[in-house]
């Protein structure tokens, strides 16, 4: 009887270990997914008065580490792009980048969802 | 023949206006954007005069130093074909230029900017032919360029003074340009722009004034390629009839490479 109880205890222990290991793996996977997730940045840019001029800004933004999904809404006066969530530039750096391209960053927003459906990416 | 040299002086400064980084075609722009590096630009000009035809084909290489300063150089191939005399061709005087932004005020979809621009012409071209390809004159021009640009239109102005040597007349330049986009603005660009304006030259030493009315069209095909063409006709030209300009036909491309 004692041996039977002991055997059951071992089985329960093994089961718990298996569940715990699985949960841990699941958590690790989630962490990996989070590391690869994107943050979307929207910058309201003053002075963007001609589409031809915005190309310099695009080139500057594309130099930002992990940036992608870039687009310009010239008539609305903003640009948007994505970066890896663990590589979000500071607001100060973003303003500096826009200034170096010859424009003025009036307002910066971030989101975990795209600001606009991206069609041509 | 002196008139051909003066035409050369005028063409130097019309040619340097090709460094506008977008509209307008015949007036300088104060917007130092769109390059952020280097590109190659061409802006061929066919000048029909009563006593000659002149063709100028420049290649310009501008370079941005930061967002407020630009330097560059212009190489030009020139062909002068006077009536009754053998045509002459060659590389024209070398031009260096520098632009520095002095003022910038931005808003949503609009900007006002003011720059100072210095053009320096070096008399490097040959002058031992008739007509001469080079001006044989050091020329320095300092000008102010202002522009108010919105998504709906662009208004540009330039005024400058050109100092010359070797008994060539100094001149004041004054240009006005208006640009109107014919298609909705979008990015990447695919745009047609209508350009109208005037281009004036007043030669101070001889009290001679020339004003050309300008019209043209630009086709911006992508982020990096632009085609443009335009026609200029004189509306004021205080020169002897035989030296008068019939028209100036221009065509060119601007291609950003880097």
């Amino acid at each position: 009887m004692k041996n039977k109880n002991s055997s059951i205890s071992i089985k329960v222990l093994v089961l718990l270990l298996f569940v715990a290991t699985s949960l841990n793996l699941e958590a690790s996977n989630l962490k990996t997914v989070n590391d690869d997730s994107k943050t979307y940045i929207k910058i309201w840019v003053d002075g963007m008065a001609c589409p031809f001029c915005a190309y310099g800004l695009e080139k500057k933004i594309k130099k930002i580490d992990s940036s992608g999904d870039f687009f310009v809404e010239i008539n609305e006066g903003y640009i948007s792009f994505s970066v890896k969530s663990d590589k979000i530039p500071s607001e100060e750096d973003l303003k500096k980048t826009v200034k170096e391209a010859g424009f003025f960053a009036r307002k910066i927003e971030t989101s975990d969802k795209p600001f606009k459906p991206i069609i041509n990416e | 023949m002196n008139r051909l040299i003066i035409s050369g002086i005028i063409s130097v400064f019309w040619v340097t206006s090709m460094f506008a980084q977008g509209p307008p075609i015949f007036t300088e722009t104060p917007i130092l954007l769109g390059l952020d590096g280097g590109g190659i630009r061409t802006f061929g000009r066919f000048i029909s005069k009563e006593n000659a035809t002149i063709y100028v084909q420049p290649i310009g290489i501008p370079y941005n130093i930061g967002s407020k300063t630009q330097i560059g150089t212009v190489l030009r191939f020139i062909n002068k074909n006077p009536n009754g005399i053998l045509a002459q061709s060659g590389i024209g005087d070398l031009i260096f230029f520098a632009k520095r932004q002095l003022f910038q005020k931005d808003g949503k979809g609009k900007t006002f900017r003011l720059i100072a621009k210095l053009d320096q012409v070096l008399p490097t071209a040959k002058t031992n032919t008739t007509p001469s390809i080079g001006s044989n004159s050091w020329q320095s021009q300092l000008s102010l360029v202002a522009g108010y640009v919105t998504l709906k239109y662009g208004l540009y102005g330039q005024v400058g003074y050109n100092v010359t040597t070797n008994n060539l007349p100094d001149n004041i330049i004054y240009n006005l340009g208006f640009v109107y986009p014919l298609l909705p603005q979008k990015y990447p660009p695919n745009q047609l722009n209508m350009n109208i304006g005037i281009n004036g030259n007043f030669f101070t030493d001889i009290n001679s004034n020339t004003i050309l009315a300008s019209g043209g069209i630009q086709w911006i095909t992508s982020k990096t390629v632009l085609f443009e063409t335009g026609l200029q006709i004189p509306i004021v030209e205080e020169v002897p009839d035989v030296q008068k300009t019939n028209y100036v036909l221009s065509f060119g491309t601007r291609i950003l490479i880097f």
Side-chain angles (χ1 to χ4, degrees):
Chain A
M1 188 67 180
K2 193 178 176 182
N3 284 343
K4 193 176 179 184
N5 284 342
S6 175
S7 174
I8 290 170
S9 298
I10 289 168
K11 284 178 182 173
V12 168
L13 188 62
V14 169
L15 187 64
L16 285 173
L17 276 172
F18 176 76
V19 170
T21 306
S22 299
L23 286 174
N24 190 40
L25 279 174
E26 187 69 19
S28 298
N29 286 338
L30 280 174
K31 190 169 184 294
T32 304
V33 168
N34 282 337
D35 283 346
D36 288 340
S37 69
K38 291 177 179 178
T39 293
Y40 294 86
I41 299 173
K42 183 182 195 179
I43 306 178
W44 295 88
V45 180
D46 280 353
M48 204 161 54
C50 59
F52 196 57
C53 307
Y55 182 51
L57 180 57
E58 178 181 342
K59 285 195 291 182
K60 288 277 185 193
I61 294 294
K62 285 186 171 176
K63 286 179 184 171
I64 294 174
D65 192 10
S66 79
S67 69
D69 305 323
F70 178 87
F71 69 87
V72 176
E73 270 298 333
I74 193 87
N75 292 297
E76 298 299 318
Y78 71 81
I79 64 166
S80 181
F81 61 99
S82 66
V83 291
K84 284 185 179 177
S85 295
D86 59 346
K87 293 184 175 176
I88 303 172
S90 69
E91 190 167 315
E92 189 178 309
D93 285 344
L94 288 171
K95 285 185 174 179
K96 188 181 171 194
T97 299
V98 173
K99 187 179 179 183
E100 284 174 354
F103 299 103
F104 175 73
R106 177 163 36 92
K107 184 180 168 188
I108 298 172
E109 299 171 39
T110 58
S111 170
D112 57 356
K113 292 186 173 59
F115 284 98
K116 178 188 165 187
I118 297 161
I119 300 163
N120 298 319
E121 287 292 323
Chain B
M1 210 53 65
N2 280 340
R3 195 62 206 173
L4 280 182
I5 293 173
I6 292 172
S7 297
I9 295 173
I10 294 171
S11 68
V12 162
F13 297 108
W14 289 339
V15 163
T16 56
S17 72
M18 73 179 186
F19 285 99
Q21 294 178 27
I25 297 176
F26 296 107
T27 303
E28 188 56 80
T29 179
I31 298 180
L32 306 181
L33 300 176
L35 286 174
D36 190 28
I40 290 181
R41 300 177 173 194
T42 67
F43 196 53
R45 302 180 67 86
F46 179 79
I47 304 165
S48 169
K49 302 180 76 68
E50 286 294 330
N51 61 349
T53 56
I54 303 169
Y55 180 72
V56 183
Q57 180 59 63
I59 296 177
I61 306 166
Y63 180 75
N64 277 16
I65 306 171
S67 63
K68 294 187 176 181
T69 306
Q70 185 184 93
I71 58 172
T73 186
V74 184
L75 299 170
R76 296 172 301 149
F77 171 81
I78 297 174
N79 174 269
K80 291 181 178 178
N81 192 3
N83 298 341
I85 307 178
L86 280 178
Q88 296 292 337
S89 302
I91 304 299
D93 290 339
L94 195 59
I95 304 170
F96 290 102
F97 69 91
K99 296 179 184 178
R100 176 69 184 172
Q101 184 178 291
L102 304 176
F103 181 78
Q104 175 177 351
K105 178 72 176 173
D106 293 331
K108 180 185 171 186
K110 61 186 177 184
T111 187
F112 175 80
R113 301 186 191 205
L114 176 72
I115 66 164
K117 182 168 186 262
L118 176 68
D119 292 278
Q120 180 62 55
V121 179
L122 279 59
T124 54
K126 63 182 180 183
T127 55
N128 58 351
T129 59
T130 303
S132 170
I133 296 300
S135 66
N136 195 30
S137 171
W138 290 82
Q139 299 174 50
S140 304
Q141 179 187 271
L142 184 62
S143 61
L144 286 174
V145 182
Y148 180 68
V149 186
T150 75
L151 291 171
K152 294 181 178 174
Y153 65 89
L155 190 59
Y156 304 84
Q158 179 181 18
V159 61
Y161 192 83
N162 183 43
V163 181
T164 63
T165 61
N166 263 359
N167 296 322
L168 285 182
D170 290 356
N171 59 313
I172 296 169
I173 64 148
Y174 51 100
N175 299 319
L176 277 175
F178 177 76
V179 180
Y180 185 78
L182 300 173
L183 298 175
Q185 301 275 23
K186 64 175 188 172
Y187 191 87
N190 181 17
Q191 184 58 269
L192 279 177
N193 291 327
M194 181 190 72
N195 284 250
I196 56 171
I198 61 162
N199 301 99
N201 259 281
F202 180 72
F203 290 89
T204 55
D205 298 343
I206 55 177
N207 284 332
S208 169
N209 198 22
T210 299
I211 301 175
L212 299 184
S214 309
I217 197 154
Q218 282 175 327
W219 179 31
I220 302 173
T221 64
S222 67
K223 300 170 188 173
T224 56
V225 179
L226 178 155
F227 299 99
E228 56 196 353
T229 185
L231 182 68
Q232 294 172 294
I233 52 173
I235 52 176
V236 174
E237 198 173 27
E238 296 169 350
V239 297
D241 285 348
V242 71
Q243 298 172 349
K244 284 189 184 300
T245 300
N246 300 317
Y247 61 87
V248 181
L249 182 63
S250 305
F251 46 89
T253 62
R254 311 183 196 204
I255 303 168
L256 306 184
I257 293 175
F258 306 111

